[in-house]
Amino acid sequence: MIEIMTIVLGLEGTAWNLSAAVVSEEDVLYDAESTYKPLQGGIHPREAAQHHASEMKEVVTRALRAVKEEGVLLKHIDAIAYSQGPGLGPCLRTVATAARALSISLKKPLIGVNHCIAHIEIGRWRCGTRDPVVLYVSGANTQVLAYRAGRYRVLGETLDIGLGNAIDKFARYLGLSHPGGPKIEEWASKSSNYVPLPYIIKGMDLSFSGLSTAAKDATDSHPGEKAGICYSFQETAFAMLTEVTERAMAHCSRDELLLAGGVGANKRLQQMLEIMCRDRGARFYVPESRYLKDNGSMIAYVGLIMYKNGDITPLEQSGVNPHYRPDDVKVTWRKSERFKS
Ligand code: ATP
Ligand code: FE2
């Protein structure tokens, strides 16, 4: 069986999480990871890249050893996939260098994967959703997307920073360590005292940097209200996301919503989206949290579906792109799917 299945090794390391995973057509076989933890403050791109470089051998070896126990040998691996962007330049270059070295030494094709598309496709795969509107909300990215005519179209996005980065910035101000999201969520659950904060939507686009600044100012003026301000930050930001997502679903006549990206782990965000979908008679899908945050499985999986469609990356086109957009990608693997227009 292993001989006839397509199997891909994928490397992820766009920011703080380095991961190597082996995926077959049927399942994730193994996902090994090593996470860079800044001693203080946020992610330092060069330090994160150094972490990835020093951990790469161990993480790749761990993944390959684990699948070997299941009978998957190097000769069964069909291709090497890696995240080509978007992400932090030094981290991307470290991962791409490792992927090129593996591709050349093992004589396997190389496949450059767009990290945002990988967040979407792993969710579609794991949840079995067909043609959803996608809310992708992570550290550096916040986008609402839907597939149409060969590409994922960005219907709305942040005009400045991603929501995760906005939350992390505010969390650092409160003295909380990185990543701030889960800690802010916990503080927020202790209050329901709403402090007005800026709700900024322009058409289908959103802005979060003013929200971080206003939350910091509110903390200075009401030092005893930290939990209330965390609650208000979440309520404001998540209501903005829910509004834009609902409009996208209405405009595109879609009755499925898929949540993607690390911020998607937040239970209050999930609850708001769930209520909105229920009110519209739509279905709401959230993958397991290990597939929401950055993971190697999503890169290996998109590598696999690209490989099966002959979509491989020649060495001379394997350079990284820190600003690689999902709508730059020609989707080669959904041609055979038929949808209502
Ligand atoms: P990308 O390159 O796609 O932007 P990323 O490097 O930001 O990815 P992810 O793992 O997708 O990585 O997302 C990390 C972000 O998710 C961090 O900003 C973190 O604070 C946030 N986050 C994680 N858990 C929660 C939570 N429970 N609530 C809110 N935010 C969360
Ligand atoms: Fe990510």
Side-chain angles (χ1 to χ4, degrees):
M1 193 61 184
I2 285 164
E3 278 76 11
I4 57 165
M5 261 197 294
T6 304
I7 297 179
V8 173
L9 168 68
L11 305 183
E12 158 61 31
T14 50
W16 64 315
N17 200 32
L18 175 70
S19 170
V22 182
V23 165
S24 78
E25 285 165 78
E26 290 183 342
D27 211 347
V28 171
L29 302 179
Y30 198 83
D31 192 321
E33 62 176 14
S34 169
T35 305
Y36 155 75
K37 294 189 184 71
L39 291 175
Q40 57 178 45
I43 300 174
H44 190 293
R46 245 179 311 114
E47 278 178 16
Q50 271 158 16
H51 164 270
H52 296 355
S54 57
E55 291 289 306
M56 184 69 71
K57 187 172 169 217
E58 191 278 324
V59 168
V60 171
T61 309
R62 186 149 36 102
L64 292 176
R65 267 208 200 116
V67 296
K68 194 173 171 192
E69 283 173 22
E70 309 296 320
V72 176
L73 308 176
L74 279 180
K75 67 175 182 188
H76 298 128
I77 291 177
D78 294 286
I80 311 294
Y82 67 104
S83 31
Q84 203 167 10
L88 303 171
C91 297
L92 289 170
R93 285 191 290 277
T94 302
V95 171
T97 304
R100 276 186 219 109
L102 283 166
S103 160
I104 293 167
S105 61
L106 299 174
K107 299 189 177 59
K108 313 272 184 191
L110 189 61
I111 303 180
V113 171
N114 179 290
H115 177 94
C116 313
I117 298 279
H119 273 290
I120 299 172
E121 291 297 352
I122 191 91
R124 278 211 317 136
W125 185 40
R126 303 314 291 184
C127 297
T129 160
R130 259 169 42 92
D131 195 20
V133 160
V134 183
L135 173 60
Y136 164 42
V137 50
S138 61
N141 296 287
T142 301
Q143 289 173 328
V144 179
L145 310 101
Y147 175 78
R148 185 163 178 136
R151 279 178 206 263
Y152 280 97
R153 314 285 166 171
V154 177
L155 305 171
E157 63 188 317
T158 179
L159 295 168
D160 40 56
I161 54 176
L163 177 56
N165 284 357
I167 294 175
D168 293 340
K169 239 167 124 178
F170 177 53
R172 274 203 300 282
Y173 193 72
L174 296 181
L176 304 170
S177 62
H178 188 85
K183 291 147 205 154
I184 296 284
E185 179 173 17
E186 204 188 320
W187 279 59
S189 70
K190 296 188 178 124
S191 175
S192 52
N193 186 17
Y194 188 76
V195 179
L197 292 172
Y199 185 102
I200 306 171
I201 290 182
K202 297 187 180 178
M204 290 292 284
D205 294 327
L206 312 111
S207 160
F208 294 111
S209 68
L211 183 56
S212 281
T213 310
K216 287 181 197 169
D217 291 347
T219 310
D220 290 343
S221 49
H222 308 282
E225 256 315 321
K226 285 199 184 97
I229 296 163
C230 291
Y231 166 77
S232 310
F233 192 117
Q234 286 201 167
E235 293 300 298
T236 307
F238 297 165
M240 287 162 59
L241 291 176
T242 307
E243 181 189 327
V244 171
T245 305
E246 178 165 28
R247 207 157 37 236
M249 292 174 77
H251 286 175
C252 302
S253 306
R254 302 281 165 107
D255 57 5
E256 295 174 313
L257 172 63
L258 174 67
L259 184 58
V263 181
N266 189 290
K267 293 287 179 241
R268 178 58 179 147
L269 173 60
Q270 292 180 10
Q271 186 188 36
M272 277 199 199
L273 295 168
E274 171 84 60
I275 293 169
M276 179 271 283
C277 285
R278 203 188 316 133
D279 285 353
R280 302 184 53 77
R283 273 154 301 158
F284 177 47
Y285 296 92
V286 189
E288 282 170 64
S289 56
R290 66 187 171 125
Y291 298 123
L292 281 167
K293 70 179 183 83
D294 289 353
N295 61 90
S297 304
M298 67 184 192
I299 303 300
Y301 174 67
V302 175
L304 187 147
I305 52 182
M306 287 173 72
Y307 175 78
K308 288 186 69 149
N309 285 278
D311 192 357
I312 62 171
T313 308
L315 204 56
E316 60 279 10
Q317 289 169 26
S318 66
V320 301
N321 179 357
H323 305 291
Y324 197 6
R325 286 181 60 83
D327 43 7
D328 287 339
V329 177
K330 263 196 195 153
V331 174
T332 51
W333 55 91
R334 289 187 63 164
K335 278 185 293 224
S336 56
E337 295 178 11
R338 298 188 56 214
F339 302 106
K340 60 179 184 267
S341 57

